[in-house]
Structures are given as structure tokens and as C-alpha cells.
Amino acid sequence: MSHANKLQLVSFKVCPFAQRAAIALQEKQVAYETEYLIPGEEQPDWFKSISPLGKVPVLVVNGTPVFESAVILEYLDEVYAPQLHPADPLAKARQRAWMEMASELFGKQYQMVTAKEQAGFETAHKELQAGLEQVAAALSTELPFFNGETFALVDVAFAPLFVRLNLLEQAFNLNFNTHPRISTWSQALLAKASVQNSVVSNFEEVFMLFLKKSDGYLVNNL
């Protein structure tokens, strides 16, 4: 395994998918540089050439771009210790499947904070809450992480969601931790240095600015 790779993570400061890659890099204590682009602006040609879908994150490994957060996580887990996926194929497949659920819930959270009308906000909020209940039922009874004591790639996938839900709870009259097992998990994820160090130091400010620019029902009414 080569640890001499030159890694560059191309990201938006507010993107949860890019944060996943940063958490994995932090957890594995791998040196990398971050290039932040500004969402909504015309992106530079060099970015268009390395991201066929026009999305972040992109991890550039010695000049070779790897895109899609799930693929980046798999690559990092194959190359750098410690391994965050379970060794058992069925456990690994199950956790990969739940990582897809995390991506779905990122979408619900985004819809909720950007919805212009109360009805859209409430629909997305309910769907997000229902999704969290489904996840709660899948969590190990052993504390604190998805699979018990061991922090895994599935935890990496969900952590950015809880970072954002925590900020929303602090800023608005919202409560997502209606299930005690979710609450324990969320607290454990937010306490990890790899999660705390995976965003810019003024992330709260960046996230609140993103909400204000979205000009949705949430910032205007709650």
C-alpha cells in the first residue's frame, strides 16, 4: 500500500458528500489538500474536465480524478488503514446499502431547508424524520455507532447529516433526535475529532449563510 500519494479533495464548503471524504481522510490521518469551489458559480474548465457530472467531491490522486463520494470512500478504505468497512461480506453489503439511505436523507434535509412553502417544508421534514426512524431500527443495540463500538464507513456516511441537523436544532425550533438510539449515535459522531475537523472552522457561519441565501420557509418563518 502506497502512502506517498498526492491527494487533493475538490469540494464545496457546505457539501455533505464532500465532507464524507474529508472525514475518511481525517480518520485515516492521510495528508491531503482541499480546493474549495463556490457553488452556483460557473465552474472552471479544469473542474469540468475532472468531474463529468459537474459535482463535488472529486479526489485527485496523483493527477487521476476519482468522483462520487461512495466511490472515493471505497478507494480510501482499500488503500489506507484503518479499514472502516467490516470484513464480513454480508455486513459490508448491508452497511453499503444503508450508506445509500444516508444519501437519500441528505436530499430530504436539503429539500426541507430550501422549500419555499410551508407544505414543502413539512413534507420533507416528515420524510426525513421517518427515514431517521427507519435507520434507528437498523442500528446495533450496542452503543454508540451504527454497528456498536467500532466506527465504520457507514458512520462516515451519516455523520455530515447529523452535523447539519445539530446546527438546525440549535438555530431553529426543531428536534430530530426523537429516538434515543439516534441521539446517542449523533452525539458520538459529533464528538469525533475526524468529524469536527472535516469542515472549515467557520462551518456554522457558512451553513447559516447558505440557509439565508436559500431564502426558504425555514429561515423566514421559524
Side-chain angles (χ1 to χ4, degrees):
M1 287 191 187
S2 167
H3 287 245
N5 290 327
K6 184 177 189 304
L7 302 180
Q8 183 189 43
L9 181 63
V10 184
S11 174
F12 296 150
K13 287 180 181 177
V14 83
C15 175
F17 293 97
Q19 190 184 356
R20 284 176 164 181
I23 293 169
L25 287 159
Q26 291 276 340
E27 191 67 21
K28 293 167 181 290
Q29 299 185 342
V30 179
Y32 66 101
E33 293 171 2
T34 308
E35 174 83 27
Y36 289 112
L37 301 178
I38 299 169
E41 289 197 354
E42 176 69 18
Q43 299 304 347
D45 288 341
W46 66 261
F47 175 68
K48 292 175 186 171
S49 72
I50 64 171
S51 180
L53 300 171
K55 297 194 296 192
V56 297
V58 180
L59 183 70
V60 184
V61 184
N62 296 331
T64 301
V66 181
F67 55 96
E68 284 300 300
S69 72
V71 179
I72 291 169
L73 291 183
E74 297 284 340
Y75 167 75
L76 291 172
D77 214 42
E78 284 179 19
V79 177
Y80 299 101
Q83 293 246 273
L84 298 176
H85 257 328
D88 176 71
L90 184 57
K92 189 190 291 187
R94 179 175 174 268
Q95 291 188 22
R96 277 184 174 138
W98 281 102
M99 288 166 78
E100 284 300 307
M101 180 63 156
S103 301
E104 187 70 20
L105 295 184
F106 287 163
K108 299 295 177 203
Q109 181 253 308
Y110 180 81
Q111 287 165 17
M112 186 184 78
V113 301
T114 58
K116 300 293 185 203
E117 307 294 333
Q118 183 176 359
F121 167 81
E122 287 180 354
T123 299
H125 185 261
K126 276 181 192 145
E127 288 175 352
L128 175 58
Q129 202 66 54
L132 288 170
E133 292 293 328
Q134 286 179 294
V135 179
L139 293 171
S140 161
T141 52
E142 285 179 61
L143 302 179
F145 299 114
F146 186 96
N147 209 30
E149 286 182 21
T150 310
F151 182 76
L153 220 51
V154 67
D155 296 295
V156 172
F158 274 95
L161 178 67
F162 289 113
V163 169
R164 285 152 184 74
L165 296 185
N166 182 53
L167 291 178
L168 291 171
E169 284 188 332
Q170 288 173 21
F172 304 98
N173 187 25
L174 295 169
N175 175 27
F176 300 99
N177 289 324
T178 53
H179 194 289
R181 183 63 185 87
I182 289 277
S183 190
T184 308
W185 185 31
S186 171
Q187 285 167 20
L189 292 175
L190 295 177
K192 281 194 70 70
S194 58
V195 175
Q196 293 170 5
N197 298 330
S198 61
V199 287
V200 288
S201 57
N202 65 333
F203 180 73
E204 184 174 349
E205 193 184 316
V206 169
F207 186 64
M208 295 311 288
L209 190 63
F210 157 71
L211 294 183
K212 286 192 180 79
K213 279 187 178 167
S214 302
D215 194 31
Y217 174 81
L218 175 73
V219 287
N220 291 323
N221 295 278
L222 292 188

